[in-house]
Amino acid sequence: MLQEGKIYIGTSRKPDDSINKGEYLELKFGNRHGLITGATGTGKTVTLQILAEGFSNAGVPVFCADVKGDLSGIGAMGEPKDFLLKRAEQIGLDPYDFQEFPVIFWDLYGEKGHRVRTTISEMGPLLLSRLMNATDAQEGVLNIAFKIADEGGLPLLDLKDLQALLNYMGENASELSNQFGFISKASVGSIQRELLILEQQGAEHFFGEPALKITDIMRTTNDGRGAISVLAADKLMMNPRLYATFLLWLLSELFEELPEVGDPDKPKLVFFFDEAHLLFNDAPKVLVERVEQVVRLIRSKGVGVYFVTQNPLDVPEAVLAQLGNRIQHALRAYSPREQKAVKTAADTFRPNPDFNCADVITNLGTGEALVSTLEGKGSPSIVERTLVRPPASRLGPLTDAERQKVVDVSPVRGLYDEDFDRDSAYEMLAKRAAKAAEQAEAARQAEEKPAEDTSGGSRWTLPGFGDDAAEAPSGKQARPRSSGYKRETIMEAAMKSVARTVATQVGRALVRGILGSLKR
Ligand SMILES: Nc1ncnc2c1ncn2[C@@H]1O[C@H](COP(=O)(O)OP(=O)(O)O)[C@@H](O)[C@H]1O
Ligand SMILES: [Mg+2]
């Protein structure tokens, strides 16, 4: 069943239930994105698990969110349970080997994995507005706040920095309005109140330094397997906007930071968006358009994006059209919306003369799916009714003790666990922003080339691009200060930037990309 250059998904069956053939996802089309859909309990998470296993074994790092905690088992050896053995036999998977995978656990709250942070500056106005569910007026004010900060080359570290800048804007609203456009004091006030709410909801944990370096989710082991980064999302799901914004931010970072690679033999990274409907639920039109754009363009950076959701209608048409590899588990068809979903799902497949897709979709068993992947020159294969393979790793969660063990030997251990004190954190951000500004300019002139690999740890390897590994946030003063930079209060700096009299913080204005991340 196992073939070079392909991930084995499962085995399809003929109308008489006899074995038809193995169904595969070709690695060279792994960056052509995918969609896993189906009602609750139909097998989506297990499908995600076996795909993540396949990518990891092929040396492709994977990022996924663990919404219910059951994906953590991917870090442990599978167990020969009866129903799994039965499935293996049904599909002719012989031998059915068990395996544990190299996992890195992440958690915005730092409880079930390594901390993940970013800064306000790096998140940018578009995603921050989304996070706050800002009105148009509020978004206008936020845009001005970032304009003042960016043009002044003034990086914003955390919610407090943004609060300070907003204070300043409120106090000097009429003056600033002349230069930057209308600033309503009422909107400033309402944003400030929203920020307080965000803080109370725990979003403050997420803003600060050391910020996540994407190279840390792109590690491979020395035996050539891709690290599987698992984000603990059970608690995070209680704040769906933070969940969605975080994932979009990560996507945006990947997009801005990774070099162009065209269509590689296999992806550089695969990104699974579980509960993808949360990304698009009442998201403003511009945001959806930008996401569509990033999904389209990120392919040539070698990143595959896989959306996992209950209903194909959860994903906007323009995004749906980008998703080449499709695994459709069972759907119900009671309500009109459900019936429409079945029809949409059925219509998107390249038909199989042996069956009617819409009929089959409502009759698929657990762990069974309609599968169509890209083949040949990149066209979708004829859809096949497929029994998905059982995972090689454990089906079900790790115990707390097992999880802790994984965290203890993690290659990023110690890199993210402590908050930086504000001064050194601010300095790091300023340095990175300066570098980003520089590179954005340099990029216009020179063509980017991937740098050489650098090693991190004994078992793990870091990809070689982006920030250099020596800048890992392990020592607070690892490097001399850049260009005599000195920490100032936001007030002072903002004042200066408004007056446009003094040298800027990072030398140059910050440049933002499609989703508003700092451009590299
Ligand atoms: N490929 C599979 N092989 C064996 N059992 C499976 C498979 N897929 C799903 N199952 C069974 O179905 C259960 C529910 O699957 P799950 O992936 O958690 O559903 P969903 O994510 O769609 O809610 C699993 O716990 C497992 O018992
Ligand atoms: Mg699930």
Side-chain angles (χ1 to χ4, degrees):
M1 300 268 78
L2 306 182
Q3 291 186 18
E4 193 61 26
K6 297 176 175 187
I7 296 173
Y8 170 59
I9 299 171
T11 299
S12 57
R13 294 183 298 162
K14 295 182 183 152
D16 67 0
D17 257 9
S18 63
I19 282 185
N20 179 28
K21 62 182 172 66
E23 299 299 326
Y24 298 89
L25 194 156
E26 289 194 37
L27 288 166
K28 67 171 192 250
F29 296 128
N31 66 335
R32 301 278 292 269
H33 309 322
L35 179 69
I36 302 170
T37 40
T40 307
T42 56
K44 295 185 298 297
T45 300
V46 176
T47 295
L48 190 167
Q49 186 168 348
I50 63 111
L51 288 179
E53 291 179 353
F55 281 118
S56 173
N57 278 338
V60 179
V62 170
F63 185 93
C64 51
D66 188 7
V67 170
K68 291 196 183 127
D70 47 356
L71 198 53
S72 57
I74 201 163
M77 189 79 90
E79 292 133 25
K81 299 240 171 82
D82 285 349
F83 72 104
L84 298 173
L85 296 174
K86 181 171 163 237
R87 172 62 57 102
E89 196 192 319
Q90 265 179 312
I91 61 175
L93 176 60
D94 186 22
Y96 172 27
D97 292 325
F98 294 104
Q99 205 187 330
E100 61 179 25
F101 288 81
V103 175
I104 304 177
F105 287 115
W106 301 95
D107 183 359
L108 262 66
Y109 303 99
E111 289 158 8
K112 295 185 164 173
H114 303 287
R115 291 280 305 274
V116 198
R117 304 179 196 73
T118 188
T119 60
I120 295 283
S121 264
E122 278 161 306
M123 176 154 272
L126 184 68
L127 293 181
L128 196 66
S129 298
R130 169 71 171 144
L131 179 59
M132 295 174 46
N133 205 19
T135 62
D136 288 350
Q138 291 168 344
E139 190 169 356
V141 169
L142 275 175
N143 281 332
I144 293 176
F146 274 87
K147 197 162 184 235
I148 292 174
D150 289 352
E151 284 184 3
L154 173 78
L156 304 171
L157 182 60
D158 53 21
L159 294 171
K160 285 194 206 72
D161 286 345
L162 186 55
Q163 285 282 16
L165 178 57
L166 288 162
N167 273 337
Y168 171 77
M169 287 169 67
E171 282 158 15
N172 301 279
S174 47
E175 220 182 303
L176 291 173
S177 290
N178 291 334
Q179 285 185 54
F180 292 98
F182 179 64
I183 298 169
S184 129
K185 276 193 186 182
S187 300
V188 170
S190 59
I191 295 173
Q192 291 190 297
R193 285 189 296 279
E194 284 291 327
L195 288 178
L196 285 178
I197 295 172
L198 271 183
E199 211 169 312
Q200 282 154 11
Q201 287 172 341
E204 89 213 78
H205 292 295
F206 175 50
F207 292 111
E209 288 279 4
L212 177 68
K213 298 169 73 156
I214 60 156
T215 47
D216 277 329
I217 62 165
M218 301 190 72
R219 289 173 182 260
T220 46
T221 59
N222 287 346
D223 62 357
R225 291 185 299 158
I228 302 178
S229 282
V230 177
L231 176 76
D234 41 354
K235 183 170 170 187
L236 184 57
M237 293 308 288
M238 292 191 272
N239 189 343
R241 273 209 306 273
L242 181 57
Y243 171 78
T245 317
F246 168 71
L247 291 182
L248 286 178
W249 166 76
L250 194 52
L251 190 68
S252 167
E253 284 294 299
L254 288 167
F255 177 70
E256 297 302 341
E257 214 160 307
L258 296 185
E260 290 282 334
V261 292
D263 279 319
D265 299 346
K266 61 183 185 192
K268 300 288 176 199
L269 176 85
V270 165
F271 195 95
F272 287 97
F273 260 128
D274 206 347
E275 303 287 339
H277 65 283
L278 295 175
L279 300 179
F280 303 111
N281 265 358
D282 41 69
K285 195 161 158 271
V286 284
L287 182 61
V288 174
E289 282 166 9
R290 303 280 179 90
V291 172
E292 188 264 315
Q293 210 177 344
V294 168
V295 169
R296 181 156 38 82
L297 296 173
I298 207 167
R299 172 184 148 190
S300 63
K301 309 221 163 178
V303 177
V305 184
Y306 290 70
F307 294 92
V308 185
T309 188
Q310 295 197 11
N311 189 324
L313 299 177
D314 293 336
V315 182
E317 196 98 29
V319 177
L320 213 51
Q322 316 283 334
L323 313 179
N325 301 298
R326 298 198 175 191
I327 302 183
Q328 173 69 57
H329 287 281
L331 289 173
R332 286 182 295 267
Y334 305 132
S335 71
R337 184 168 192 266
E338 286 168 349
Q339 284 158 12
K340 184 164 178 240
V342 169
K343 192 172 179 318
T344 305
D347 289 349
T348 53
F349 283 117
R350 181 172 160 199
N352 186 324
D354 285 345
F355 57 82
N356 175 304
C357 271
D359 292 344
V360 170
I361 286 175
T362 53
N363 287 309
L364 291 165
T366 305
E368 189 181 19
L370 290 180
V371 174
S372 168
T373 56
L374 297 180
E375 61 178 15
K377 292 197 168 131
S379 52
S381 62
I382 291 177
V383 62
E384 295 287 357
R385 181 173 186 165
T386 304
L387 282 174
V388 176
R389 65 157 294 170
S393 53
R394 181 190 300 170
L395 202 157
L398 292 191
T399 64
D400 289 347
E402 286 171 326
R403 184 188 283 269
Q404 193 54 48
K405 256 196 197 152
V406 172
V407 170
D408 286 345
V409 300
S410 151
V412 301
R413 190 173 166 225
L415 296 186
Y416 296 101
D417 301 334
E418 299 300 322
D419 283 319
F420 265 40
D421 70 71
R422 284 180 53 82
D423 281 354
S424 46
Y426 192 85
E427 190 167 76
M428 276 189 73
L429 172 61
K431 250 190 258 176
R432 224 176 21 243
K435 199 167 158 192
E438 245 165 57
Q439 286 181 356
E441 210 164 84
R444 250 169 273 143
Q445 296 151 13
E447 261 195 23
E448 275 178 303
K449 282 190 222 116
E452 271 166 42
D453 277 15
T454 50
S455 236
S458 54
R459 216 182 123 216
W460 302 77
T461 311
L462 279 165
F465 58 81
D467 291 0
D468 85 65
E471 236 178 34
S474 45
K476 282 185 182 171
Q477 289 295 345
R479 295 197 155 191
R481 296 177 166 204
S482 60
S483 61
Y485 165 76
K486 206 164 130 264
R487 176 82 162 105
E488 295 169 273
T489 66
I490 294 291
M491 286 279 272
E492 285 166 356
M495 219 109 70
K496 284 184 192 171
S497 98
V498 170
R500 295 187 203 290
T501 51
V502 204
T504 58
Q505 301 298 295
V506 300
R508 255 178 229 106
L510 307 185
V511 185
R512 293 190 179 275
I514 299 178
L515 278 170
S517 283
L518 292 181
K519 225 170 157 58
R520 304 300 205 278

